[in-house]
Amino acid sequence: MINNLNILFPEIFLSLSIFTILMLGVFIKKSFNIIFNLTLLIIVATVMIILSNPDNEVKIFLNSFTRDAFSNYFKILILISSFFVLNSSKNFILDNKLDKFEYPIIVLMSILGMFFMVSSNDLILFYLGLELQSLSLYILATIDRDNLRSTESGIKYFVLSALSSGLLLYGCSLLYGFTGSTNFDLIADKLTKENTGAVFAMVFILVGLAFKVSAVPFHMWTPDVYEGAPTSITSYFAVVPKVAGLALLIKFMFIPFSNILLEWQTIIIFISIGSMILGAVAAMVQKNFKRLLAYSSIGHIGYALAGVATGVVSGYQSAIIYISIYVIMNIGAFSCLYLIKKDGQYKESISDLSGISKKHPILAISLLIILFSLAGIPPLGGFFAKFYVFVSVLEQEMYTLAIIGLLTTVMSAFYYLKIIKTIYFDDSAITFDLTKNKKAQFSIFASCIFLVTFFLYPSIFNNMVTALFVS
Amino acid sequence: MNFPILSTLIFLPLISSLFIFLSKSKTNNFGVISISLFGSIATFFLSLFLWYSLDTSIPDFQFVEDQSWINNFIKFKLGIDGISILFIVLTTFITPICIVSCINSVRIRVKEFLIAILILETFMIGVFCSLDLVIFYLFFEAGLIPMFLIIGVWGGPRRVYSAFKFFLFTLLGSVLMLVAIIVIYWITGTTDITQIYEIKIPKEYQNLLWLAFLSSFAVKMPMWPVHTWLPDAHVEAPTAGSVILAAILLKMAGYGFLRFSIPMFPNASEFFTPLIYTLSIIAIIYTSLVALMQDDMKKLIAYSSVAHMGYVTLGIFTLTKQGIEGSIYQMISHGLISAALFLCVGVVYDRLHSRMISNYGGLVNYLPKYSFLFLVFALAALGLPGTSGFLGEFLVLTGTFQKSYLAAMLATFGVVLGAAYMLWLTKRVIFGSTNNSEIKKINDVNKSELIMLTVLAFFIIFFGFYPMPLMETFDISINSLIDNYQNDLNANQL
């Protein structure tokens, strides 16, 4: 039993820390700064703990909780991206008076939820983790409670997400009904193509997961929530829950539904194509930068799902590489928003970017790198992300998917170019405040350096990702 | 040779652009221009050294560098042969000229402009050095970023439209090539082209793959009917941008046909030869006629580039020795001539801020040196014997006559049209008279412009009389290219 607790140590550490800093927050006045810094410290400590543990596969608690290389990779990705998102958004939080001490604590709780999601090997544990994450995200979306748009976006997110959770739960219960178990491994054994009810259940589960990663046709909430929520929350939404959602999609495909892969695959192909096309088309007419990033994230999830849709390990690996690079690009893109300020107000419409190339040459060139990378132009990191996905898609001879994917790349290049046009070609009528925000600058710098130098050693992720599917 | 000389060549401009990026001279452009000039001239000499030390008696790739890059998948493989070295030297030769031209024509953000040019040079050299399809694609596409910025930031009034058109056209063409590259990987298990030459791609795949490569090269070349981005891009781009576009970027596609399409897909190349002939002939005749009607000097030269590139594709797909030699010669000489013509337009544009032919006339009375040089370049462009432009066209036509009389006759008709629009341009700009009184006030070419144009004029005439240095370099490579092509065809027919 003690050994089992050892395996659960990162989760235990995280929960105990949450309780501790919650107490601290209650009893110390003006505690935001302390709690915030402690949160960052906890995240770093959790990364250390995970890294110090071996990552051979262990299943505990009646095989309901797995610790393996797969879950550890995703946990570390979640932690590192949360660290950068939180760290770079600190000044934004302070400037917008969002400095409630609950903020970082709720972020930690959502991380805890995601931990259980990626480690779950059982429907119940999976659902509990998902709900812990979702509930935290509802609160985060409405954290700016005096702001009408933030509240609206939070309510919208809550209603739609609760609906999708309901569908997901319904799917879980059907699955239990038709297979007689909630354990992933047992479900995988019992599930066959003849089991129509289970296929039915699979569709409901897929709907729930597609909602969480905001894939078409369950993407409706994304633009509104991204636009309405404060930028610091949006950047968290755009990065971290997507990682967990994708991990779950891969896990469901890999373990419980591996016998009905064909049915599952067909749906994912359609979802992927839909997301890629919608992401490319709808983003063209956007005027708000956050809303544009929302559509672009839908498109990017489409590419990652194209990797998942292959239904083979190399495809899953490419999807994981894709999401990892996506995370890095988006952290950079959102951090740029923290630096664009006029008269004390953060600006988020694209036209406000006009002429920053003269006032902030370094910011402009960073944004240039990030946007070209998002568009997938070589030699930047974003190209390799797409390249790996299409290599595995074409390995499965899914030519339609590959060609549609690449054509939407060209379409989406159009709106990234439009932003670059605003930055570099248009004359500016606005003068910006010179913002000193070391933390955001650090995130942008790190992200740009990564994207630019990625071509020197493009197999950096391949080595890590290959180890995830050994079992 | 263990020293990675090709990597040095590729990354030397990038390193000098880093120096410029780090330099803090905001007021003084002289500093950054001299750094970049130094860097690009060093690159030029390095490439000359490569040319000198290249063994042109063997067709193999030389100075090969082979490093593992993506695990078990792609190697960072570089190497040059007699064909690619000429394009590398052309690139490194044109870049310093572009940098010199900045002194007069670029007024804003000189530092950024030089960085863009040097980064572009890195990518262009990379294209001609790479022996791996993925590396080739990487450099081929990466060049879009600096060129997009060069057109968009420093361009004319319709620069946004042109920059977008340029970027999206090229990207759309290229993504299909990426699909083809990955498919080739799954068919042959490698993207190393020397291995693909040996493994040989099965006949049933060749046609589709060839078309996918064509979609990219046709846009870049540009071939009719996807040439429409080129006039727009040329007209709006700053002088140095037009020079690089015409002199080097257009040559990537011709090089791509020689390096990839023909050796990798011999059957498809033969199958699609009539298509290429048709498109080339249309390009030669139609765009020459269009060029006749232009009232914008840059647009006229841009359309003439499309026509000249028509000879290149025609020559390559004759698959005769004369045809291919002529194409390469035509590419090199067009690189020099079009660069010179765009520089000439740039010279008067910097003074009068107009590219309209009707605003000029009688320049010979006020700008004698300029008029002389312009005349030399115009005559070279129409293929006067004694200039490099003649040899290329002549060889292409000789090659074409061996394969198809009809195509050759129609192409020869294009030569006449070429003479017509070039001479008419010269007549209207250099001779005649004008009502524009401002022409009387402008100065003749200054020192830096004179140096650039004279150097170009020298090489155009030199290679017109003495083509041996070029011919000897690519002779063996072309022989082996044609031999391999014939062997592959025979092998597949059996």
Side-chain angles (χ1 to χ4, degrees):
Chain A
M1 202 59 189
I2 292 298
N3 280 340
N4 288 357
L5 289 182
N6 206 3
I7 285 155
L8 208 59
F9 188 51
E11 283 79 8
I12 295 173
F13 173 77
L14 206 53
S15 1
L16 287 180
S17 318
I18 290 171
F19 293 136
T20 321
I21 56 171
L22 189 62
M23 286 300 139
L24 276 178
V26 173
F27 290 112
I28 302 175
K29 282 202 172 126
K30 301 240 176 212
S31 53
F32 177 76
N33 254 323
I34 303 167
I35 301 284
F36 192 89
N37 293 336
L38 275 175
T39 307
L40 293 182
L41 203 68
I42 291 165
I43 292 178
V44 175
T46 319
V47 174
M48 297 294 176
I49 291 168
I50 294 175
L51 283 179
S52 66
N53 280 340
D55 52 4
N56 54 325
E57 192 183 4
V58 185
K59 288 180 180 167
I60 52 170
F61 301 135
L62 301 173
N63 292 339
S64 68
F65 184 95
T66 332
R67 188 211 60 196
D68 53 5
F70 180 83
S71 63
N72 279 359
Y73 179 86
F74 275 100
K75 282 175 190 170
I76 288 173
L77 190 61
I78 288 168
L79 287 171
I80 291 177
S81 48
S82 319
F83 178 86
F84 276 100
V85 167
L86 272 182
N87 189 35
S88 54
S89 60
K90 187 174 183 192
N91 284 23
F92 180 89
I93 296 170
L94 292 174
D95 288 344
N96 283 288
K97 310 248 167 356
L98 298 174
D99 50 345
K100 308 174 175 76
F101 73 90
E102 294 93 339
Y103 184 124
I105 297 176
I106 295 169
V107 170
L108 275 187
M109 286 169 90
S110 74
I111 293 175
L112 185 65
M114 288 179 227
F115 267 37
F116 281 110
M117 275 167 80
V118 295
S119 269
S120 62
N121 197 35
D122 187 285
L123 288 174
I124 308 264
L125 190 65
F126 155 65
Y127 186 74
L128 287 177
L130 185 85
E131 278 309 286
L132 179 56
Q133 178 235 24
S134 301
L135 284 170
S136 316
L137 294 183
Y138 304 149
I139 305 171
L140 284 177
T142 46
I143 197 128
D144 192 5
R145 59 182 177 211
D146 300 329
N147 183 328
L148 198 62
R149 277 164 70 209
S150 172
T151 323
E152 185 199 322
S153 79
I155 298 288
K156 208 175 255 173
Y157 183 50
F158 172 65
V159 173
L160 288 173
S161 186
L163 181 71
S164 86
S165 292
L167 288 176
L168 191 113
L169 196 57
Y170 183 51
C172 292
S173 66
L174 280 178
L175 201 57
Y176 174 65
F178 281 100
T179 59
S181 173
T182 56
N183 187 286
F184 285 179
D185 300 320
L186 294 176
I187 292 173
D189 291 341
K190 298 252 172 66
L191 214 55
T192 50
K193 273 185 195 143
E194 291 74 41
N195 199 335
T196 326
V199 175
F200 203 61
M202 179 266 293
V203 174
F204 279 108
I205 290 176
L206 189 57
V207 169
L209 288 174
F211 183 90
K212 301 294 173 199
V213 296
S214 70
V216 170
F218 311 103
H219 64 281
M220 314 295 188
W221 59 278
T222 324
D224 292 335
V225 174
Y226 276 35
E227 194 186 352
T231 312
S232 58
I233 304 293
T234 310
S235 65
Y236 187 73
F237 271 37
V239 171
V240 188
K242 303 255 158 117
V243 176
L246 193 84
L248 257 294
L249 266 171
I250 293 171
K251 190 154 196 174
F252 266 96
M253 233 171 147
F254 196 57
I255 304 172
F257 293 138
S258 50
N259 288 337
I260 49 169
L261 207 58
L262 266 181
E263 281 79 3
W264 173 253
Q265 230 178 333
T266 331
I267 304 175
I268 293 197
I269 290 174
F270 277 106
I271 289 181
S272 160
I273 290 179
S275 307
M276 290 190 289
I277 293 177
L278 185 112
V281 176
M284 283 183 190
V285 290
Q286 301 306 324
K287 298 202 164 52
N288 181 295
F289 196 41
K290 276 157 73 183
R291 215 177 162 82
L292 184 136
L293 282 175
Y295 282 109
S296 113
S297 82
I298 294 173
H300 282 289
I301 281 298
Y303 295 109
L305 287 182
V308 179
T310 56
V312 290
V313 168
S314 68
Y316 304 150
Q317 287 170 349
S318 72
I320 297 173
I321 297 173
Y322 195 95
I323 203 81
S324 312
I325 296 174
Y326 162 85
V327 162
I328 292 160
M329 295 189 289
N330 263 38
I331 289 173
F334 276 102
S335 301
C336 289
L337 280 174
Y338 300 135
L339 292 178
I340 299 158
K341 226 171 141 184
K342 188 179 178 262
D343 307 330
Q345 293 283 313
Y346 286 93
K347 291 287 172 189
E348 50 192 55
S349 106
I350 293 173
S351 57
D352 289 332
L353 293 170
S354 62
I356 59 167
S357 62
K358 282 193 189 121
K359 299 277 163 8
H360 300 293
I362 304 285
L363 173 64
I365 204 156
S366 318
L367 211 46
L368 179 89
I369 292 168
I370 292 166
L371 288 169
F372 271 124
S373 179
L374 281 166
I377 307 296
L380 302 168
F383 165 73
F384 290 95
K386 290 206 167 87
F387 178 72
Y388 290 134
V389 167
F390 288 116
V391 166
S392 47
V393 167
L394 285 170
E395 186 189 9
Q396 301 306 308
E397 302 188 340
M398 300 155 100
Y399 296 113
T400 328
L401 185 61
I403 288 174
I404 290 179
L406 286 167
L407 291 182
T408 52
T409 309
V410 181
M411 282 154 81
S412 55
F414 175 73
Y415 60 80
Y416 295 119
L417 289 185
K418 248 174 70 179
I419 310 176
I420 292 164
K421 174 210 139 219
T422 320
I423 297 172
Y424 271 94
F425 306 173
D426 290 359
D427 291 324
S428 161
I430 315 164
T431 42
F432 290 101
D433 307 352
L434 269 175
T435 33
K436 278 263 177 274
N437 187 344
K438 282 267 157 56
K439 295 189 167 91
Q441 278 163 338
F442 174 70
S443 296
I444 299 172
F445 181 73
S447 148
C448 286
I449 291 290
F450 181 86
L451 295 174
V452 170
T453 54
F454 190 79
F455 79 96
L456 292 177
Y457 187 58
S459 36
I460 174 165
F461 284 119
N462 297 27
N463 298 346
M464 292 188 234
V465 165
T466 326
L468 303 189
F469 292 93
V470 178
S471 51
Chain B
M1 278 283 247
N2 289 325
F3 182 70
I5 190 161
L6 284 180
S7 303
T8 319
L9 185 72
I10 292 178
F11 292 107
L12 201 59
L14 194 68
I15 293 163
S16 41
S17 79
L18 264 181
F19 276 111
I20 301 173
F21 182 71
L22 296 173
S23 72
K24 288 234 164 169
S25 59
K26 280 214 163 168
T27 49
N28 182 7
N29 291 328
F30 180 74
V32 285
I33 288 179
S34 33
I35 296 175
S36 52
L37 206 55
F38 178 75
S40 60
I41 288 178
T43 321
F44 176 57
F45 279 113
L46 190 60
S47 69
L48 280 186
F49 168 72
L50 268 176
W51 189 7
Y52 171 75
S53 45
L54 187 81
D55 185 355
T56 51
S57 60
I58 46 169
D60 300 346
F61 290 107
Q62 293 163 49
F63 304 103
V64 175
E65 286 171 32
D66 199 351
Q67 283 148 354
S68 110
W69 192 50
I70 301 178
N71 300 358
N72 309 323
F73 180 15
I74 295 163
K75 287 174 179 171
F76 192 81
K77 190 165 183 183
L78 304 172
I80 50 172
D81 67 352
I83 299 174
S84 45
I85 183 66
L86 292 178
F87 292 99
I88 294 169
V89 174
L90 179 70
T91 311
T92 53
F93 172 68
I94 293 291
T95 312
I97 291 182
C98 287
I99 292 168
V100 174
S101 82
C102 298
I103 301 173
N104 300 303
S105 60
V106 177
R107 296 268 172 264
I108 48 159
R109 304 197 199 174
V110 179
K111 191 171 144 183
E112 285 90 336
F113 189 82
L114 293 170
I115 293 175
I117 294 264
L118 286 171
I119 291 180
L120 188 57
E121 188 187 7
T122 287
F123 294 148
M124 292 184 301
I125 300 174
V127 165
F128 297 124
C129 287
S130 45
L131 287 187
D132 186 290
L133 288 169
V134 177
I135 312 278
F136 171 77
Y137 182 82
L138 203 75
F139 284 122
F140 192 76
E141 283 295 273
L144 292 182
I145 300 176
M147 200 60 210
F148 174 76
L149 294 174
I150 288 174
I151 298 176
V153 178
W154 293 275
R158 285 175 75 237
R159 57 180 196 263
V160 176
Y161 171 78
S162 311
F164 272 63
K165 199 169 176 183
F166 161 74
F167 195 99
L168 295 176
F169 258 67
T170 323
L171 188 64
L172 187 63
S174 303
V175 289
L176 289 178
M177 183 165 80
L178 182 62
V179 175
I181 289 173
I182 299 174
V183 171
I184 290 174
Y185 174 73
W186 289 118
I187 293 172
T188 62
T190 179
T191 52
D192 177 344
I193 55 166
T194 49
Q195 286 182 29
I196 296 173
Y197 288 171
E198 278 159 25
I199 294 172
K200 305 204 186 344
I201 295 165
K203 206 172 164 183
E204 61 266 29
Y205 295 108
Q206 283 191 13
N207 284 0
L208 277 176
L209 292 175
W210 188 90
L211 283 175
F213 273 77
L214 177 75
S215 77
S216 173
F217 293 150
V219 173
K220 200 83 172 186
M221 193 85 195
M223 291 164 79
W224 185 86
V226 282
H227 65 282
T228 54
W229 63 269
L230 183 76
D232 285 311
H234 267 316
V235 169
E236 300 305 328
T239 307
S242 295
V243 170
I244 288 197
L245 192 59
I248 307 159
L249 290 185
L250 301 190
K251 310 299 177 288
M252 287 180 182
Y255 174 77
F257 278 127
L258 288 171
R259 177 69 76 231
F260 304 109
S261 296
I262 291 175
M264 291 198 307
F265 321 119
N267 297 77
S269 297
E270 178 167 271
F271 181 75
F272 285 111
T273 301
L275 174 75
I276 294 282
Y277 279 5
T278 319
L279 293 180
S280 309
I281 298 292
I282 293 177
I284 292 170
I285 294 187
Y286 169 76
T287 49
S288 299
L289 288 172
V290 175
L292 269 173
M293 297 306 297
Q294 296 307 315
D295 43 17
D296 181 318
M297 284 196 266
K298 266 189 158 178
K299 228 171 189 164
L300 192 150
I301 302 170
Y303 278 110
S304 86
S305 290
V306 181
H308 282 127
M309 288 299 116
Y311 289 106
V312 172
T313 45
L314 188 66
I316 290 174
F317 280 89
T318 58
L319 291 158
T320 54
K321 189 161 185 239
Q322 285 84 358
I324 294 179
E325 279 183 346
S327 304
I328 298 175
Y329 212 85
Q330 172 81 338
M331 282 195 265
I332 303 289
S333 93
H334 178 260
L336 300 172
I337 296 168
S338 64
L341 283 171
F342 279 117
L343 285 171
C344 281
V345 178
V347 168
V348 284
Y349 182 78
D350 291 338
R351 288 165 172 71
L352 285 183
H353 299 285
S354 165
R355 292 182 303 260
M356 290 298 142
I357 296 173
S358 54
N359 282 344
Y360 294 94
L363 283 182
V364 70
N365 299 320
Y366 313 105
L367 310 171
K369 289 182 213 158
Y370 174 81
S371 304
F372 172 73
L373 288 165
F374 190 95
L375 200 62
V376 171
F377 300 135
L379 292 176
L382 64 84
L384 188 78
T387 61
S388 61
F390 167 73
L391 267 168
E393 282 178 10
F394 178 74
L395 283 170
V396 167
L397 293 174
T398 323
T400 318
F401 265 111
Q402 298 174 22
K403 292 276 169 157
S404 157
Y405 279 113
L406 182 67
M409 267 177 56
L410 290 169
T412 318
F413 187 59
V415 179
V416 183
L417 286 174
Y421 61 72
M422 258 0 262
L423 288 178
W424 198 28
L425 172 75
T426 321
K427 186 238 150 202
R428 284 180 290 173
V429 174
I430 302 293
F431 303 110
S433 60
T434 179
N435 301 326
N436 192 346
S437 56
E438 284 178 36
I439 285 192
K440 291 170 190 160
K441 294 178 203 152
I442 61 177
N443 304 320
D444 207 341
V445 283
N446 63 28
K447 209 179 261 171
S448 63
E449 290 161 346
L450 190 67
I451 292 171
M452 294 187 298
L453 295 176
T454 323
V455 167
L456 283 167
F458 171 76
F459 281 110
I460 288 168
I461 295 171
F462 177 78
F463 288 130
F465 281 105
Y466 188 63
M468 286 318 282
L470 302 184
M471 294 291 185
E472 275 176 353
T473 311
F474 56 61
D475 189 51
I476 298 288
S477 299
I478 290 177
N479 281 342
S480 91
L481 177 77
I482 293 174
D483 287 349
N484 288 337
Y485 168 76
Q486 290 298 348
N487 290 342
D488 288 353
L489 272 191
N490 297 338
N492 272 338
Q493 268 157 7
L494 288 176

